[in-house]
Amino acid sequence: MKHSFIYLAVCVSVAVACSKQTLQAPVTMKTTNLLDRKVDSVLNLMTLSEKVGQLNQYNGFWDITGPTPKEGQAAKKYDDLKKGLVGSMLNVKGVKDVRALQKIAVEETRLGIPLIFGFDVIHGYKTISPIPLAEAASWDLVAIKKSAAIAAEEAAAVGLNWTFAPMVDVARDARWGRVMEGAGEDPFLGSKIAVARVQGFQGMDLAATNTILACAKHFAGYAFAESGRDYNTVDISESVLQNTIFPPFKAAADAGVRTFMNSFNELNGVPATGSAYLQREILKKDWNFDGFVVSDWGSINEMIPHGFAKDSRHAAELAINAGSDMDMESSAYVDHLVQLVKEGKVKEATINDAARRILKVKFELGLFDDPYKYCDENREKTTVGKQEFHDGVLDVAKKSIVLLKNEKNLLPLQKSGQKIAIIGALAADKTSPLGSWRIAADDNTAVSVVEGMQKYTGNQITYVKGADVAVGRTQFIWETNINMTDKSGFPEAVAAAKKADVVVMVLGEHGLQSGEGRSRANIDLPGVQQELLEEVYKANPNVVLVLNNGRPLALPWADENIPAIVEAWQLGTQSGNAIAQVLYGDYNPSGKLPMTFPRSVGQLPLYYNAKNTGRPTMNEPESVFWSHFIDEKNTPLYPFGHGLSYSKFEYSDLKLSANSFGVNGKIEVSVTLKNNSKIAGKEVVQLYIRDLIGSTTRPIKELKGFEMIELQANESKKVIFTIDEKTIEYFTANRKWEAEAGDFKVFVGGSSATVLESSFQFVK
Ligand code: NOJ
């Protein structure tokens, strides 16, 4: 009943708006104006507290199959829901539950405004894709977009219409557990991937029932937590913010992402949630973002312990005035905003603006036309876990694997006549490959490495655990009583290795050893896995080390001794199949690292696009007075962009179409790529530049282009990149994005450690 009331109100006022529009508005404004008028027609019906209600998001508080909550916080939330004081819910999933709550919003509240349902669909809902960092290693924007589209379709089928993804935080510190959730350390690659993910989730039509809202998070600076400790203080320059951190957010905004999430951290003394600079000045003014900003979980009230707000009421005032539109789970807005408006501390216009943004998105989702459009039991049944989704996540999983090292021709494995020993707890684990953010997926649903390898029946396979990976096994609780020192399985592992032709060791981190709250002070192999690796290697040096991890690890011993190393991250539901297909050469590895792998944790933060310093080298080898460690090299173990193939790619003939270009001009950079092998394969050709002198100091290399090239055996191809003014722009000492005249170097190759280089000038 209520639903039809508001629907009628919308139709009437839109009809008026439309007739006016034909007289006055230019044609291009038509759609926007129509939408805005629809939004206003609803807003005009609302009381102040109902508007505030739209800004309130609650976590699922009630088991809908049980009795309705009668007391405590759940009862208050239930009451708020019925009063129209809730605009969105998170962590409610499944058509039955979503429909039940939507029914309350639509049928029991005065205006019947539908809810939006959000969920962390970070790398899949039930059918799990590789963790985002792994997918970034594919450098394959089509596959990444497809993976997000699969997640969206599956999530939309269970009643959801909003994911809190993609996380587009550029991350340079592998100690930070959430590096697994982003696209790595580079703003250029990160921007391209941000766009692919936004497009994958949101599709071409937000109102379609196989697309969901995306959310660019965490705005901003979250990954720059001091010492990589989650939620820690962030203090960085405007130049780093603009040149490194903002680009993927800006790219997401330009790609039409409809929501942003702010972040837990303070940025230069101001919590991001209370930062008008970030949310009003940069996002809503400079970037013209017209979607809405949701706070992070409880981050409005977290401004109290930050020492920025004196209580929840003060926090609500600071957050809304700073441009944070929706309150996730602090209850600060619903409890205090009406009073704050009455006291004149918050303008009603500010509330209107926030409510308008949220209502607009609800219209875009089509919820005012049909609030139950995401609630189709039949679609839920036929969509979740579709074979097509499994094929899709397998495809991106294979593409995410990075071959770090391959000596002694150990890989690809021969398909018959071999005795293969598989060792390591992670090899048989069917939960860990699902990674950290797969809250809707069931434990034990990933294909393990052992299972994947067993599909190849020509070899004789034995599996021995060897040792546990020390880990707490639940999503939210960290178990500390795990035995980290048990070596009783070593003898059996060593015996199996002795009998084998090749040993495949699957070692690394459990899926829950990275992710939110999972910072590590050591980034080596947890528990006794390093010792196990060394013991097994002594028994049989033909070791293929398959790494499962959510962050770069520092493994200098393995790099020095183990002949073949495969970076296989946490690859999701199809993990074991993807790994087996790569090990046997049915997929020729094509991934490239999206983050630098250090030699030691002490080098962190370590990233390829660093500054040169005033003392990059010293001519006298014995001198101590240059920028280095006395006990470690400066170079990484594996550089950003590194990744091998079973093919052998060679680069030659780097040529520039001219030595200089000016305003509105451009230069073409060409290179010849040859596949000097008998195996067809794919290579990500990477273009870097160096701006030699700037009004502020410039990085020693910056990625500015990449292209995935597929070559048959012995085939060659000329690859061409274009450099123009846009390519060399940065946020200069003038505090604006511009290209500065001067000398540049250009590098092309298969990693950030490329050797082919040339130079050009930009003249103004
Ligand atoms: C906190 C995390 O920081 C954020 O990324 C996530 O979306 C919310 N919790 C909701 O679960």
Side-chain angles (χ1 to χ4, degrees), residues 261-319:
M261 184 185 289
N262 57 35
S263 76
F264 289 128
N265 57 283
E266 69 158 77
L267 175 69
N268 304 339
V270 177
T273 305
S275 170
Y277 163 69
L278 286 172
Q279 298 168 110
R280 291 219 181 273
E281 199 179 317
I282 300 291
L283 180 60
K284 291 179 179 173
K285 188 169 132 272
D286 290 0
W287 300 353
N288 227 352
F289 173 70
D290 71 343
F292 70 88
V293 181
V294 63
S295 80
D296 202 344
W297 178 285
S299 69
I300 295 181
N301 278 349
E302 285 187 16
M303 291 199 287
I304 305 166
H306 267 299
F308 193 68
K310 60 177 185 291
D311 52 25
S312 182
R313 169 181 297 217
H314 188 206
E317 176 190 337
L318 292 168

Side-chain angles (χ1 to χ4, degrees), residues 90-91 120 164 178 181 217-218 222 261 264 296-297 328 437 516:
L90 79 150
N91 292 334
D120 289 286
F164 305 121
R178 295 191 84 166
E181 201 179 335
K217 70 185 188 184
H218 306 84
Y222 185 35
M261 184 185 289
F264 289 128
D296 202 344
W297 178 285
M328 181 191 285
W437 262 127
E516 186 178 348

Side-chain angles (χ1 to χ4, degrees), residues 154-169:
E154 199 170 43
V158 302
L160 299 169
N161 36 41
W162 183 14
T163 176
F164 305 121
M167 184 188 101
V168 303
D169 297 303

Side-chain angles (χ1 to χ4, degrees), residues 300-360:
I300 295 181
N301 278 349
E302 285 187 16
M303 291 199 287
I304 305 166
H306 267 299
F308 193 68
K310 60 177 185 291
D311 52 25
S312 182
R313 169 181 297 217
H314 188 206
E317 176 190 337
L318 292 168
I320 191 75
N321 285 337
S324 183
D325 301 305
M326 185 181 275
D327 170 1
M328 181 191 285
E329 203 39 29
S330 277
S331 228
Y333 282 5
V334 73
D335 291 348
H336 306 296
L337 281 186
V338 170
Q339 187 57 30
L340 285 163
V341 171
K342 286 188 183 143
E343 287 167 13
K345 294 195 167 136
V346 174
K347 293 200 182 85
E348 185 154 359
T350 305
I351 307 289
N352 288 347
D353 175 60
R356 204 177 259 126
R357 288 167 180 272
I358 293 162
L359 291 171
K360 186 168 177 179

Side-chain angles (χ1 to χ4, degrees), residues 218-478:
H218 306 84
F219 198 57
Y222 185 35
F224 278 62
E226 284 174 2
S227 68
R229 205 185 73 208
D230 209 0
Y231 320 119
N232 205 2
T233 306
V234 177
D235 208 312
I236 45 180
S237 69
E238 188 184 27
S239 169
V240 170
L241 259 180
Q242 287 279 357
N243 289 307
T244 306
I245 293 177
F246 284 166
F249 285 104
K250 171 78 163 52
D254 290 346
V257 74
R258 300 308 288 137
T259 72
F260 261 60
M261 184 185 289
N262 57 35
S263 76
F264 289 128
N265 57 283
E266 69 158 77
L267 175 69
N268 304 339
V270 177
T273 305
S275 170
Y277 163 69
L278 286 172
Q279 298 168 110
R280 291 219 181 273
E281 199 179 317
I282 300 291
L283 180 60
K284 291 179 179 173
K285 188 169 132 272
D286 290 0
W287 300 353
N288 227 352
F289 173 70
D290 71 343
F292 70 88
V293 181
V294 63
S295 80
D296 202 344
W297 178 285
S299 69
I300 295 181
N301 278 349
E302 285 187 16
M303 291 199 287
I304 305 166
H306 267 299
F308 193 68
K310 60 177 185 291
D311 52 25
S312 182
R313 169 181 297 217
H314 188 206
E317 176 190 337
L318 292 168
I320 191 75
N321 285 337
S324 183
D325 301 305
M326 185 181 275
D327 170 1
M328 181 191 285
E329 203 39 29
S330 277
S331 228
Y333 282 5
V334 73
D335 291 348
H336 306 296
L337 281 186
V338 170
Q339 187 57 30
L340 285 163
V341 171
K342 286 188 183 143
E343 287 167 13
K345 294 195 167 136
V346 174
K347 293 200 182 85
E348 185 154 359
T350 305
I351 307 289
N352 288 347
D353 175 60
R356 204 177 259 126
R357 288 167 180 272
I358 293 162
L359 291 171
K360 186 168 177 179
V361 167
K362 290 186 177 184
F363 271 106
E364 289 168 349
L365 285 169
L367 289 171
F368 280 102
D369 295 327
D370 177 5
Y372 303 108
K373 63 186 297 187
Y374 299 89
C375 298
D376 177 335
E377 278 83 2
N378 193 38
R379 190 166 60 235
E380 180 175 46
K381 225 178 284 156
T382 54
T383 304
V384 175
K386 276 204 286 198
Q387 184 54 43
E388 188 191 319
F389 294 165
H390 283 270
D391 297 343
V393 301
L394 173 59
D395 179 64
V396 69
K398 289 187 282 195
K399 293 173 173 166
S400 303
I401 293 172
V402 184
L403 181 62
L404 294 175
K405 183 178 172 189
N406 190 17
E407 285 172 2
K408 291 172 54 177
N409 285 326
L410 269 192
L411 291 176
L413 298 172
Q414 292 172 35
K415 285 191 177 154
S416 60
Q418 297 276 293
K419 285 191 202 127
I420 298 183
I422 304 179
I423 297 174
L426 289 172
D429 202 314
K430 292 171 64 59
T431 298
S432 171
L434 299 173
S436 191
W437 262 127
R438 41 82 192 178
I439 41 185
D442 303 313
D443 278 0
N444 281 308
T445 51
V447 177
S448 72
V449 176
V450 174
E451 289 169 333
M453 293 289 285
Q454 276 165 346
K455 296 204 175 129
Y456 290 81
T457 51
N459 289 327
Q460 196 186 314
I461 290 187
T462 36
Y463 168 66
V464 179
K465 181 167 86 169
D468 262 322
V469 183
V471 69
R473 294 242 170 213
T474 61
Q475 182 78 29
F476 300 110
I477 309 292
W478 191 253

